[in-house]
Amino acid sequence: MYEAESRGVSPLTSSLPPPVEIVSRLAQLGAVARELVGSHAIALDTESNSFHHYPEQLCLIQIASRHKGYIIDTISLYDLSPLRDILRDVSIKKVVHAADYDIRSLDRHCGLRIHNLFDTSIAARFIGITQFGLAALTRDLLGITISKSKRLQRADWGRRPLSAEAIEYAATDVRHLLTLQKTLDKRLQALGRTAWVTEECARIEEVQYTAPNLETAYLSVKGAKDLDGRGLAILRSLFLFREEEARHQHRPPFMVLPNATLIFLATSPEADLSKVPGLGQIGLKRFGHDLQQALRNGLTALPIQRPHPIRAVRATKKQAQRLSRLKEWRISLGSSLSLDPSLLWPLASLERLAKAPDTLSIELASDAIRHWQRNVVASSLQACLSQ
């Protein structure tokens, strides 16, 4: 009998192999949190449904300790606060693969923050691995093959009950992370790069979710740069209409109206809606009247004036040559350290230094430069600038 069943909890599926427990009740989540107290490390992952629901929902949190796995049903649970102290406990290492999205998702949906992060994708890059997806790492470092099906990656994780296949997929995402962390950590220690990864992970911990600015987001729609002021006013009206309709339907905006349809209407606002590509009869019937109103609003609004772009000062021949030399320096150093050159120093900083080589001290004081870069890379960069 599965542990979820022994506690009187109805699991999402009856065919889940142990030792994974489905957690769908608050009292149960509290018990899990108590079980995790004192752990040296836990693995963590999340699943959301951005391809199927708008705004997206946090659907699952998967956690694994050395001895057991938990799949936390965040659709059923209204309160995730029992996890708060565990995730912020600096004595417990949180092992996550490609943590940026998970950290934003936890912050956005429930205000949970992670402290003492170990990101396996970051660690892999700093030991010189170029294929650092989870499946590639478990295969190449552990000799274990796991499935990373696109179909399951884009599944509707908000649907219940989840299939046994889906739950096994979710559990597999954390099942091998702790072993992977130990393997990566040994390699980092041998290379003397543990502190580098610790600093990079600490920066990722600080990531927060920032909601898009809907008043300007329409400008990023593909094709918007080709519109005149009138077209931009129409596009803005259509974009805001689509946002409201997507929230009403709980469907991603691109499923309500594709970007290409917005651009078509912005350039041809008088078009017969029954013939507009990407709209269809269902969409026309569902929100055609409101769409026409959005078009009228855009047509009667003041044309939008684009801000004048800041023209970059063209580099001199000497500056261009210096930048080329700096890029070659970065590539050479990356090769000697068996690291992706982009990890060693930001390109934007090299571009500024190419124009003003005597400003290295300013660059070193920038928040974009890491402590390990100052300690390991800066002297080599200074030598290159002195040439």
Side-chain angles (χ1 to χ4, degrees), residues 25-43:
R25 295 184 180 179
L26 185 58
Q28 189 185 6
L29 182 61
V32 170
R34 290 190 292 274
E35 290 174 11
L36 294 175
V37 170
S39 298
H40 173 70
I42 60 174

Side-chain angles (χ1 to χ4, degrees), residues 254-293:
F254 73 89
M255 290 187 177
V256 175
L257 282 175
N259 284 344
T261 302
L262 298 186
I263 296 299
F264 178 89
L265 287 169
T267 55
S268 307
E270 306 295 343
D272 182 347
L273 293 184
S274 64
K275 298 179 181 179
V276 170
L279 178 56
Q281 292 301 313
I282 294 177
L284 188 60
K285 183 177 180 180
R286 176 177 286 175
F287 53 76
H289 179 269
D290 291 336
L291 178 60
Q292 288 178 326
Q293 184 60 53

Side-chain angles (χ1 to χ4, degrees), residues 31-245:
V32 170
R34 290 190 292 274
E35 290 174 11
L36 294 175
V37 170
S39 298
H40 173 70
I42 60 174
L44 183 142
D45 188 35
T46 65
E47 303 294 346
S48 301
N49 58 353
S50 60
F51 283 96
H52 303 273
H53 193 277
Y54 190 76
E56 72 172 24
Q57 299 168 299
L58 176 64
C59 302
L60 296 176
I61 298 176
Q62 304 102 280
I63 293 178
S65 67
R66 296 288 180 193
H67 310 292
K68 188 175 179 181
Y70 308 89
I71 294 184
I72 300 168
D73 179 7
T74 52
I75 296 294
S76 299
L77 287 162
Y78 59 89
D79 181 5
L80 298 175
S81 60
L83 292 178
R84 191 175 308 280
D85 289 343
I86 292 295
L87 294 185
R88 68 184 181 186
D89 187 340
V90 295
S91 71
I92 303 175
K93 190 179 298 294
K94 321 310 182 303
V95 183
V96 188
H97 184 78
D100 183 280
Y101 181 84
D102 302 290
I103 287 175
R104 292 178 197 275
S105 186
L106 290 170
D107 182 44
R108 173 183 183 179
H109 296 287
C110 46
L112 295 178
R113 306 296 306 175
I114 291 177
H115 293 169
N116 193 5
L117 170 71
F118 185 98
D119 188 321
T120 50
S121 69
I122 291 176
R125 295 189 72 193
F126 274 89
I127 63 172
I129 290 177
T130 56
Q131 292 186 338
F132 43 84
L134 181 58
L137 290 180
T138 54
R139 180 194 65 223
D140 297 341
L141 296 182
L142 305 181
I144 297 171
T145 300
I146 65 173
S147 171
K148 294 301 292 181
S149 162
K150 286 290 185 183
R151 175 177 59 84
L152 288 172
Q153 283 180 342
R154 298 188 176 189
D156 186 354
W157 292 98
R159 295 185 64 182
R160 297 293 182 269
L162 292 172
S163 67
E165 180 189 27
I167 291 180
E168 174 61 17
Y169 176 92
T172 300
D173 274 351
V174 292
R175 184 170 289 151
H176 307 293
L177 281 180
L178 296 181
T179 303
L180 189 60
Q181 182 269 327
K182 291 180 69 175
T183 301
L184 290 166
D185 195 45
K186 288 180 181 178
R187 299 272 291 271
L188 288 169
Q189 289 181 35
L191 291 167
R193 297 174 185 173
T194 301
W196 303 9
V197 170
T198 298
E199 184 176 1
E200 296 293 335
C201 289
R203 284 176 172 257
I204 296 294
E205 288 178 15
E206 299 301 318
V207 167
Q208 294 181 315
Y209 170 76
T210 302
N213 183 349
L214 296 179
E215 291 299 318
T216 58
Y218 70 96
L219 293 170
S220 64
V221 173
K222 184 179 179 180
K225 64 181 180 61
D226 299 321
L227 299 176
D228 60 14
R230 171 59 57 215
L232 286 175
I234 297 171
L235 176 62
R236 179 182 179 278
S237 180
L238 292 171
F239 186 91
L240 295 176
F241 156 75
R242 183 180 69 171
E243 175 71 17
E244 183 177 349
E245 185 64 26

